[in-house]
Structures are given as C-alpha cells and as structure tokens.
Amino acid sequence: MRAMVLEQAGSPLRLQQRPVPSPGPTEVRLRVLACAVCRTDLHIVDAELAVPRLPLVPGHEIVGIVEALGRDVHTLRQGDRVGVPWLGHVCGHCDFCLTQRENLCDHPVFTGHGRDGGFATHVVAEAAFCLALPQALQGDAAQLAPLLCAGSIGWRALRLAGEEARTIGLYGFGAAAHLVGQVARHQGRQVYGFTRPGDAQAQAFALALGAVWAGGSDEPAPVALDAAIIFAPVGALVPLALRAVRKGGRVVCGGIHMSDIPAFPYAWLWEERQLLSVAHLTRADAAGFLAFAAAHPLQVAVSHYPLERANEALDDLRAGRLQGAAVLEP
C-alpha cells in the first residue's frame, strides 16, 4: 500500500510503501476511495495539535470499500462502502460514554491522530465506528468524504446554536460552513457569511450558496444575529462574534484548535449571551447528518488531488486558496 506519512511534527508528509495491514478481531480493512483534508489534519501536521504517536498517517474523512473483516465482525460485509470519521474508538465505560456523550470519552482514539488514517490506499478501522452511507448517498466518493467531518461537525455546531436561532453568522466560509450554511437554508434560517477581510471570492461563494449577506470578519453584521458559529481557528473572532449576537444569543466555536482569545469587556458577554465549544462528534451526530443530507441534497464543492499531492492540498488549505474542501484520491 501507499501512504502519506507524518514522520516528524512540523515537517511535510512523505510517501511510503507499506505492507497492506490486516484487521484485528473487531476491525475491517478498507480500500480508500477518497479522503477529505480537514483543518484538523493541518493542525496535526503543523504541530499545533499534539499527537500520541509518530509516525502517523493523517486523514479522517474517509470513504472506502470493505476488503477484509476481523473474525468478530458481523455487521459489515466485503464490498460494503462505508465512511470513517474522526472518532475511531471510545472506552464505553466512562461517565460520558454511559450518558450518550461519547464525543467526550475520557479515553478516546481518533482516526488520523491516535491511529493511522486515510491519507493512504488502505486503512484499518474499528467496524463499530464505520458509518453506513444511506442509499441516496451512493454517489461520487469525493463528494461524500467532506460530509464525514466538515458536514457532521457543522451539523453538531448548528444544533448547539439552537433551533430557535433564525439569523446565523458563519465565521470562516470553508469546508464546514459551505455545508452547514446550506443545511441552515433548508431549515428556513438566514445565513450571514464572514470571511477573511477583502476575500471577495469567498464572499461570492457564500452568496452563491444562499447566504443573504457576505462580508469581511472585520465588518459589523447588518442585523443582530441570533447565533454565530466560528469555524476559522482565530481567537480574535470570538469577541467580534459576541458583539454581533443579540441578547441571549450564542457563539459556538466549531474547531478543535484556536489561537488565544484576546481579553474583551464583560459587557460583550453580558445579557445572557453564551460562549461554547463543540468537541468532536458522536456516531449519532454523523448518522443524523447523513440522513439529512440524503433527504436534502447539498452542493459539495471539492478540489481533487491525487494522494501524492497531499502536501499541496495542505498548503492550499493553509493559504486559504480553497473553495469548499480538498479531497485526496488514491
């Protein structure tokens, strides 16, 4: 098999030839069809997010075909097409797991972080954490891959923003925002897109996908927002978003890593505004979002890269040159 491997944090990935892995008793081996590139992958490669092991194959938005089954796997069959998300294992017995909050498990393992991921031709995953893809989503694998993290974490962030939120600001209009903005539109909400200052291309992209307004993150919102979701890993956006939401509004931080949040006056938080974060996602979150996407087709903007050009895809994400998501195809 071929894999793009992180040998040292902060260094480019290197292409390696490896033996094709065998699945353990509760695992399956997949032939990777597509793996989207997430900002979390960038945080890992750039040493902004610590990893428990090196060398490491990143990638956690995987669509693949089941090639081999562990001896105890009875829920999947060879030839099944499944998705593999960020959450790759939970302990099942901590307080969080026992109260349907597996995303907060005390002893989790994440795909492309604690175990090798999908920047490769093959990957091994726990069968219990492989996601069934609804029949209506049996299309192009590259179009499906961003749904497994960008779309699913956006779905969870939108739920935390509150069903009552009708005007929603999305800060950072990339892979997650371009999907969750469409979900919000399907739900009858108004979406306001905030991009890097002066990024006219990203603002046009937001408007083309149904945003009622798009502008720079340094611009005031044209209306008081019920909620804001921050996908850009920029802590300085938090005070700006708090100033943009009305009394009782919520600001949801949707990333796993963010630069430090600068000090701001308590008055910007007062009047029952709420600031909260999203931590990973549950399998139920992913299943709920995939069911929604099957019933409400979404436009998924992707840029295609062969596996060997993974570093180029990461560079384009780092520089903000992408519209939507980058996807690697072996």
Side-chain angles (χ1 to χ4, degrees):
M1 62 173 277
R2 292 176 292 118
M4 295 297 291
V5 182
L6 179 67
E7 297 178 333
Q8 181 178 350
S11 298
L13 305 181
R14 291 186 59 189
L15 179 65
Q16 290 186 2
Q17 296 284 342
R18 292 180 162 191
V20 175
S22 297
T26 62
E27 298 175 329
V28 295
R29 184 180 72 233
L30 308 179
R31 175 170 57 85
V32 176
L33 299 177
C35 185
V37 181
C38 179
R39 185 164 289 277
T40 300
D41 299 318
L42 189 59
H43 293 318
I44 290 170
V45 171
D46 288 349
E48 295 170 327
L49 186 65
V51 295
R53 46 160 288 191
L54 287 172
L56 174 71
V57 179
H60 59 271
E61 298 180 273
I62 307 164
V63 176
I65 299 289
V66 176
E67 276 194 344
L69 306 170
R71 67 170 183 267
D72 297 332
V73 176
H74 306 292
T75 55
L76 296 172
R77 298 175 299 177
Q78 288 184 343
D80 285 348
R81 189 162 77 153
V82 298
V84 180
W86 171 247
L87 187 64
H89 171 83
V90 296
C91 71
H93 55 74
C94 70
D95 288 344
F96 297 105
C97 286
L98 295 175
T99 53
Q100 290 74 56
R101 293 179 291 169
E102 66 181 11
N103 60 309
L104 300 178
C105 173
D106 286 333
H107 306 285
V109 178
F110 301 115
T111 309
H113 177 266
R115 63 184 301 154
D116 284 338
F119 287 13
T121 58
H122 296 79
V123 66
V124 168
E126 286 196 20
F129 289 83
C130 291
L131 302 172
L133 299 174
Q135 188 61 37
L137 294 179
Q138 295 297 316
D140 180 21
Q143 296 282 314
L144 299 181
L147 304 183
L148 297 169
C149 183
S152 296
I153 205 69
W155 172 264
R156 184 172 180 86
L158 186 61
R159 288 177 54 220
L160 288 181
E163 293 183 3
E164 69 282 1
R166 310 316 299 169
T167 57
I168 296 180
L170 302 179
Y171 286 77
F173 213 89
H178 99 281
L179 294 171
V180 76
Q182 294 177 68
V183 173
R185 283 288 316 283
H186 279 298
Q187 295 174 337
R189 313 187 201 211
Q190 291 187 336
V191 174
Y192 296 78
F194 294 84
T195 72
R196 296 184 185 189
D199 192 342
Q201 187 175 14
Q203 291 160 22
F205 182 52
L207 293 171
L209 289 175
V212 298
W213 176 90
S217 59
D218 57 343
E219 299 179 46
V223 299
L225 303 174
D226 295 322
I229 304 174
I230 301 175
F231 292 114
V234 181
L237 294 175
V238 171
L240 297 178
L242 282 170
R243 296 193 72 181
V245 298
R246 67 174 75 245
K247 293 182 286 187
R250 294 179 183 175
V251 173
V252 182
C253 299
I256 196 170
H257 170 81
M258 180 180 277
S259 60
D260 289 347
I261 300 171
F264 58 88
Y266 172 65
W268 296 359
L269 179 64
W270 188 55
E271 295 178 315
E272 300 192 355
R273 293 174 178 85
Q274 300 176 52
L275 175 62
L276 61 160
S277 70
V278 169
H280 321 304
L281 56 93
T282 67
R283 285 170 285 181
D285 289 327
F289 173 65
L290 292 173
F292 183 94
H296 306 83
L298 305 176
Q299 297 180 51
V300 185
V302 300
S303 296
H304 300 264
Y305 298 79
L307 177 64
E308 292 80 0
R309 288 170 55 197
N311 288 311
E312 181 181 336
L314 289 165
D315 285 342
D316 288 343
L317 177 58
R318 188 183 290 111
R321 289 190 288 262
L322 295 169
Q323 298 293 336
V327 178
L328 303 181
E329 296 170 290

